[in-house]
């Protein structure tokens, strides 16, 4: 994908994060984009409504991808997400075989917004560090459009 396409997809992921918030969940959204630039799947955070602490947008997307996408295609796909994947999500992305990640708001920026909120016990662990510890590479690109991605969180973590 070109950088322009990355930004277009990232804006869609941010829109999905808005939908998650509108549905009563934490404001995070993710897409799976095929090697041809076509969006294959979308997923939003469902931690609250699904009563599952692992219901992050990225883990939900990985679960869908494993059910609905040819696994041989995943290394050529890009996961686009409104915020940098947390350590749990980065691990799920790594194990799924998805080959690339593009993200909006950095984990450090999210942490600055949420503070020590009990519903976002974030770790100061960049996804590049988690994904870089594996035996196969996952390309990481971001942060991008941080102000747009952060705007969805305005007033949420109070």
């Amino acid at each position: 994908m070109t950088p322009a396409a990355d930004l277009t997809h990232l804006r869609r992921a941010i829109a999905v994060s808005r939908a998650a918030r509108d549905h009563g969940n934490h404001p995070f959204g993710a897409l799976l984009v095929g090697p041809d630039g076509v969006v294959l799947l979308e997923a939003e955070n469902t931690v609250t409504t699904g009563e599952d602490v692992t219901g992050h947008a990225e883990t939900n997307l990985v679960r869908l991808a494993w059910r609905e996408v040819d696994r041989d295609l995943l290394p050529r796909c890009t996961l686009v997400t409104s915020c940098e994947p947390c350590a749990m999500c980065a691990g799920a992305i790594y194990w799924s075989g998805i080959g690339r990640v593009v993200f909006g708001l950095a984990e450090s920026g999210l942490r600055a917004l949420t503070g020590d909120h009990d519903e976002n016990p974030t770790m100061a662990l960049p996804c590049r560090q988690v994904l870089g510890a594996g035996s196969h590479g996952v390309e990481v690109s971001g942060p991008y459009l941080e102000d747009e991605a952060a705007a969805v969180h305005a007033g949420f973590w109070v």
Side-chain angles (χ1 to χ4, degrees):
M1 284 189 298
T2 66
D6 285 346
L7 297 181
T8 297
H9 292 306
L10 187 51
R11 284 190 171 101
R12 178 62 198 149
I14 293 167
V16 173
S17 75
R18 264 188 220 101
R21 183 176 177 165
D22 291 346
H23 296 140
N25 290 293
H26 301 155
F28 300 99
L31 317 173
L32 186 68
V33 180
D36 57 359
V38 173
V39 175
L40 303 173
L41 299 168
E42 294 184 354
E44 58 187 60
N45 181 291
T46 58
V47 167
T48 303
T49 59
E51 298 181 3
D52 179 356
V53 296
T54 68
H56 292 195
E58 299 90 344
T59 54
N60 288 338
L61 190 72
V62 165
R63 287 183 195 105
L64 283 172
W66 262 64
R67 286 193 305 265
E68 299 182 21
V69 177
D70 182 339
R71 291 185 192 149
D72 292 336
L73 184 64
L74 292 177
R76 295 179 287 139
C77 289
T78 300
L79 187 147
V80 181
T81 183
S82 59
C83 291
E84 182 173 4
C86 71
M88 175 186 71
C89 291
I93 293 164
Y94 174 81
W95 289 111
S96 76
I98 294 169
R100 184 168 181 257
V101 172
V102 173
F103 67 89
L105 182 63
E107 181 75 11
S108 58
L110 178 63
R111 191 173 188 164
L113 286 174
T114 65
D116 197 21
H117 198 284
D118 63 349
E119 288 189 35
N120 191 46
T122 189
M123 297 177 183
L125 189 59
C127 72
R128 282 181 174 88
Q129 188 173 348
V130 175
L131 294 167
S135 61
H136 69 266
V138 177
E139 181 185 341
V140 178
S141 188
Y144 300 111
L145 306 176
E146 287 192 281
D147 290 342
E148 291 179 41
V152 181
H153 294 264
F156 185 83
W157 304 101
V158 290

